[in-house]
Amino acid sequence: MRQRGSGAGLRQESLPDKIHRYRGVIVVFSVPLLLVSFVLLLMPSYPAGPIAPVGRKTAPGGGGDAGSKSYAVIFDAGSSGSRVHVYCFDKNLDLVHIGEEIELFVQKKPGLSSFAKEPQEAANSLIPLLQKAESVVPPELRQRTPVRVGATAGLRALGNEKSEQILQAVKNLLQDKSSLKFQPDWVTVLDGTQEGAFQWVTINYLLGKLGKTYSDTVGVVDLGGGSVQMAYAISEKAAAEAPQISNGEESYVRKLLLKGTTYYLYVHSYLHYGLLAARAEILKVGDGDSNCILDGYHGSYKYGDKEFPASAAPSGASFSKCRSDTIKALKANEPTCTHMKCTFGGVWNGGGGDGQKNLFVASFFFDRAAEAGFVDPKQAVAKVKPSDFEEAASRACKLNAKDVKGAYPLVSEDNIPYLCMDLVYQYTLLVDGFGVEPHQVITLVKKVEYGDAYVEAAWPLGSAIEAASSA
């Protein structure tokens, strides 16, 4: 038996000798490897990166595949006009572009309520908007795209019979002429709290606030033509202590689950206190002549199917007298409050709190501020104070109607006689109605920046989010 030694006396085995000694093992392992390599060589090659599923196309610009997109078409049938919004969402419910725009937005005047005696004409007024909306929805997605019509305060003010006739005509139109997904109960008169809640969801969604604590959200005041809504998130404790409503109206508090977070939303809508409706309420206070109509104007004001005398008082408009009339119209000083804190007309104010401290104010507030010249109409948002409306009103009330265009070139012809009234009303609504401090900074908002685009700060987006979530 040979003994192993050490050092240089050991013979080193060469590579050929090793190959020869293990040739059987090498053959066993090499044959399968050669077969696998041969199969891989015959397989077609694919480009690097994600592979689109069969039957779906990847959207240009990295927008994801078309099958993951969903659309929603929402009609806002307001008192001053009809508007259509079309939104496109990805699978995460984030907005994506429709062509070059983040949404389709088209509007048309007058509103449905202007056709109180012609329901078919009311429905027909939506046809151009419907055609435009359908044109931007891909044909293969139209039958899956919900179309909803939300009528607001203008139709609410007409009463049940007339509003139902108009709504039925709109339902028939969508049933017969639309290629979109439609259900009759998707055409409805929104109650004010729905409108206010959707508006709150819209603005907080666009600001990226949803999913955060209620104190990180913003409060919203939305001044439409027929009604005004206030909505803001409150604590669970404050929600539990909310007064009960016994006259059949909607509850003050709505519970919402959004992005995994539960919110208790204080929301109330004041019918007859939108800007156009409030003009009628203020004109009722006078005896024919009004302290709020600009000097030199004599005429009448039509709201809905009623007309009101609208002529200047002999001495012209007066800021202080107009403000007194406006407070009476708001019922701001009437002792009807049965709760600890009220806004006006005996309505609970929600108790205040962190959800209200950052206030976003939308719709006609922005429009009149732009016409009065203290915000830039080309900007989407503006920081102002209620006192800015007071100062603008004080100047406007001194004018003669024929001099308004020279002083305020952006005011439309229809609004000239009511410039003093509108600005006084907006200041009074904020300060005496909602209890906002005159020098508190608030944000006037027309559109909200969202990524590289701006989106209309309007309730239809909130409705679209709900529709897309349940589609």
Side-chain angles (χ1 to χ4, degrees):
M1 185 175 180
R2 182 189 297 177
Q3 292 183 345
R4 292 179 181 266
S6 62
L10 287 176
R11 176 178 175 270
Q12 296 292 327
E13 188 175 27
S14 67
L15 180 62
D17 290 338
K18 288 181 179 179
I19 292 172
H20 178 76
R21 185 152 60 94
Y22 294 108
R23 64 187 182 279
V25 175
I26 291 172
V27 169
V28 169
F29 282 99
S30 62
V31 170
L33 288 173
L34 287 171
L35 288 173
V36 170
S37 299
F38 183 70
V39 171
L40 290 174
L41 185 64
L42 294 178
M43 287 179 68
S45 61
Y46 292 94
I51 300 173
V54 176
R56 295 181 181 179
K57 297 180 180 180
T58 301
D65 59 75
S68 67
K69 292 181 181 179
S70 60
Y71 287 76
V73 176
I74 310 294
F75 282 87
D76 172 5
S79 56
S80 60
S82 296
R83 309 155 194 98
V84 68
H85 300 252
V86 183
Y87 305 99
C88 182
F89 299 94
D90 65 14
K91 63 183 179 181
N92 298 317
L93 274 188
D94 291 326
L95 285 173
V96 295
H97 281 70
I98 300 174
E100 295 182 356
E101 302 295 332
I102 197 69
E103 66 171 326
L104 171 77
F105 173 65
V106 186
Q107 57 185 330
K108 188 176 186 295
K109 293 183 178 182
L112 296 183
S113 57
S114 298
F115 302 93
K117 299 178 181 178
E118 300 171 297
Q120 190 56 53
E121 288 303 308
N124 291 345
S125 71
L126 300 181
I127 291 176
L129 302 183
L130 177 64
Q131 292 173 338
K132 185 65 177 176
E134 288 183 329
S135 72
V136 301
V137 178
E140 67 273 17
L141 295 182
R142 288 176 189 167
Q143 291 187 348
R144 292 195 283 127
T145 297
V147 54
R148 295 186 175 187
V149 178
T152 54
L155 243 59
R156 289 199 291 269
L158 285 184
N160 287 337
E161 184 178 353
K162 290 181 179 179
S163 64
E164 280 302 321
Q165 290 173 350
I166 291 175
L167 292 179
Q168 187 57 54
V170 172
K171 292 175 185 179
N172 294 341
L173 173 76
L174 294 177
Q175 189 75 58
D176 298 339
K177 296 187 179 297
S178 174
S179 60
L180 304 173
K181 183 179 179 181
F182 167 70
Q183 293 181 13
D185 59 356
W186 290 351
V187 176
T188 183
V189 176
L190 290 183
D191 67 60
T193 59
Q194 284 179 300
E195 189 179 348
F198 283 148
Q199 180 77 350
W200 183 88
V201 171
T202 291
I203 291 180
N204 281 279
Y205 168 92
L206 294 173
L207 293 173
K209 302 290 186 180
L210 297 185
K212 299 182 179 180
T213 65
Y214 87 92
S215 59
D216 291 317
T217 61
V218 303
V220 173
V221 174
D222 184 25
L223 181 62
S227 63
V228 59
Q229 286 73 235
M230 171 174 269
Y232 64 93
I234 60 177
S235 68
E236 184 174 1
K237 181 176 182 294
E241 296 172 352
Q244 299 300 310
I245 297 179
S246 58
N247 60 0
E249 292 186 14
E250 290 286 329
S251 170
Y252 283 119
V253 179
R254 288 189 168 220
K255 186 178 179 180
L256 305 175
L257 180 62
L258 299 164
K259 289 205 170 182
T261 301
T262 298
Y263 295 100
Y264 297 90
L265 190 66
Y266 164 80
V267 56
H268 191 79
S269 177
Y270 303 79
L271 186 59
H272 308 306
Y273 290 101
L275 187 70
L276 305 183
R279 288 178 180 175
E281 297 299 315
I282 295 169
L283 289 170
K284 290 177 188 177
V285 174
D287 296 322
D289 293 340
S290 173
N291 295 309
C292 299
I293 296 293
L294 290 187
D295 188 26
Y297 182 82
H298 300 281
S300 62
Y301 175 67
K302 184 177 181 180
Y303 180 70
D305 56 357
K306 295 182 179 179
E307 278 197 44
F308 305 88
S311 296
S315 57
S318 162
F319 171 81
S320 59
K321 291 178 180 178
C322 180
R323 183 154 153 69
S324 177
D325 289 350
T326 302
I327 289 173
K328 290 178 184 176
L330 273 177
K331 302 179 178 65
N333 291 334
E334 290 187 10
T336 56
C337 183
T338 58
H339 319 300
M340 288 182 63
K341 296 180 179 179
C342 286
T343 52
F344 57 94
V347 175
W348 182 55
N349 73 351
D354 289 342
Q356 191 191 23
K357 68 181 185 297
N358 193 357
L359 204 58
F360 275 59
V361 180
S363 302
F364 274 120
F365 277 107
F366 190 100
D367 297 340
R368 284 300 170 277
E371 288 187 340
F374 62 91
V375 304
D376 183 350
K378 296 180 181 178
Q379 297 299 312
V381 296
K383 297 286 187 181
V384 301
K385 296 171 288 188
S387 58
D388 293 327
F389 287 93
E390 179 187 29
E391 292 170 10
S394 182
R395 292 193 299 271
C397 292
K398 297 174 183 176
L399 294 175
N400 187 288
K402 69 178 188 300
D403 298 327
V404 169
K405 268 298 184 182
Y408 299 104
L410 296 180
V411 178
S412 69
E413 292 291 335
D414 291 344
N415 293 331
I416 285 176
Y418 311 103
L419 184 61
C420 166
M421 178 188 288
D422 290 351
L423 292 168
V424 168
Y425 176 66
Q426 291 178 326
Y427 172 71
T428 305
L429 177 63
L430 289 171
V431 174
D432 299 272
F434 293 136
V436 181
E437 292 295 324
H439 296 288
Q440 177 182 332
V441 175
I442 59 177
T443 302
L444 295 188
V445 57
K446 189 172 184 67
K447 295 184 177 183
V448 178
E449 188 174 8
Y450 183 86
D452 61 350
Y454 284 87
V455 180
E456 290 284 330
W459 68 261
L461 176 55
S463 178
I465 291 169
E466 181 188 66
S469 300
S470 57

